[in-house]
Amino acid sequence: MSTAITVALIAAALVGGLLANHLRRRHHAGEPGADADEASVSDLVSPLETLAVLLVAFVIVVAAESYGEAGDAVGAEAHRVDQLYEVADYAPEPQRERMQAAAVCYSRAIMTYEWPRMEASGTKAPEASVWSTDFRRHFKELAHKDDSSFALLVEADDQRSVARQARLSEASPAIPAVVYWFMVLSLAATIGAFAFGLPRKRGPAHFVLLFVLAGLFTGSLLLIEDIDRPFSGAIKITSAAMADTAEDIGEDYTVDHPGLALPCDEHGVRTRVQAVQGLGR
């Protein structure tokens, strides 16, 4: 919706400016002060152009930083889940198998449930939180045993939790709506002013440059809107990093625990039969 409004505002400003320019030329045709009038219009457009360019530069930097931080959080979370699985190798049984199974199920639930939920509302998925709760329950069991792997596991899980929260927070736009629309209006006013201030002796080159400028401004706005929502749009960040981790640790679990079934299905949903088996161990 905002994309259509943005394009419509720029197009309306361009058409309105050209129409106003045409009417102004007809009204002042042949008057001796027409050239001076063109100079005064150009002087007024210059500060408006500066404001628009500064706004675009500032907002692009903010949006790009948010996009980069979102990508870092996605990679960090996938890495921490893999690290949690590896560190669990130092834990005694049965906690070792249970934590590694929870890591596999967590990664699957993130891809299946939390990713779409994050794109829609930027919130956590309880289907994934079930497994992070399992991590803490197993940590308590190790704490009672005074196991040396306890501190390493808690640290790895804490880093996973921080990366997950960072990913979720970056799903929301970093640019306030009022700032974005102020920038849109500034660029639209700039395009309209350029069109209004076209010289009396204009040629095809003036119109070509005007339309190129309008296209670049529109493209900049659409690009900003796209990267400000890093998990949707044309250049969105995908769940490929977590998918790779889920596949890797899933294969490792099969090798490390032959004959044991995971307590979840391929989507990360806890299965009733497997949950009963886990409680019996």
Side-chain angles (χ1 to χ4, degrees):
M1 182 65 180
S2 59
T3 298
I5 295 175
T6 298
V7 174
L9 283 174
I10 296 295
L14 178 61
V15 173
L18 288 173
L19 180 60
N21 178 270
H22 176 70
L23 294 175
R24 181 169 69 94
R25 295 302 171 201
R26 289 183 59 185
H27 181 70
H28 295 288
E31 293 185 4
D35 292 337
D37 183 55
E38 289 181 359
S40 64
V41 170
S42 177
D43 292 339
L44 291 174
V45 171
S46 185
L48 184 60
E49 176 188 4
T50 302
L51 172 63
V53 170
L54 288 176
L55 274 174
V56 171
F58 170 75
V59 173
I60 283 181
V61 169
V62 172
E65 287 181 352
S66 176
Y67 185 89
E69 290 173 0
D72 291 342
V74 169
E77 183 184 19
H79 174 70
R80 297 311 176 190
V81 172
D82 184 70
Q83 183 184 35
L84 187 63
Y85 183 96
E86 294 177 353
V87 174
D89 270 335
Y90 298 100
E93 293 288 6
Q95 284 78 22
R96 174 191 174 191
E97 184 273 330
R98 291 174 180 172
M99 284 189 292
Q100 290 181 329
V104 176
C105 295
Y106 172 85
S107 61
R108 292 179 177 181
I110 288 291
M111 291 187 301
T112 304
Y113 294 99
E114 186 156 294
W115 211 268
R117 189 184 183 99
M118 175 186 65
E119 292 177 351
S121 60
T123 57
K124 293 182 179 180
E127 294 85 355
S129 297
V130 164
W131 301 109
S132 60
T133 301
D134 270 13
F135 293 151
R136 293 188 291 273
R137 179 164 57 84
H138 300 319
F139 294 160
K140 291 178 181 178
E141 296 171 358
L142 290 177
H144 293 317
K145 294 181 179 182
D146 195 25
D147 189 85
S148 58
S149 64
F150 173 74
L152 294 174
L153 287 165
V154 170
E155 181 182 5
D157 183 61
D158 179 64
Q159 293 172 343
R160 174 206 58 79
S161 179
V162 169
R164 181 189 185 190
Q165 189 58 47
R167 169 175 55 78
L168 290 168
S169 64
E170 293 299 337
S172 301
I175 302 170
V178 64
V179 174
Y180 176 80
W181 289 113
F182 179 71
M183 178 183 59
V184 172
L185 291 175
S186 298
L187 291 180
T190 302
I191 290 296
F194 276 135
F196 179 73
L198 285 176
R200 181 176 52 182
K201 296 180 180 179
R202 55 184 181 267
H206 290 92
F207 289 102
V208 170
L209 292 175
L210 179 63
F211 281 100
V212 167
L213 183 62
L216 290 175
F217 276 0
T218 304
S220 298
L221 291 171
L222 298 182
L223 177 64
I224 290 170
E225 183 182 18
D226 195 87
I227 64 177
D228 194 37
R229 302 177 185 274
F231 300 108
S232 60
I235 52 175
K236 65 181 180 180
I237 299 171
T238 67
S239 59
M242 186 62 77
D244 291 341
T245 294
E247 182 178 359
D248 290 343
I249 62 179
E251 293 174 353
D252 291 343
Y253 182 89
T254 302
V255 174
D256 296 337
H257 309 284
L260 292 180
L262 284 165
C264 65
D265 61 16
E266 61 182 2
H267 301 299
V269 178
R270 192 186 296 276
T271 54
R272 183 177 301 175
V273 174
Q274 291 172 340
V276 172
Q277 291 175 348
L279 290 174
R281 293 170 34 155

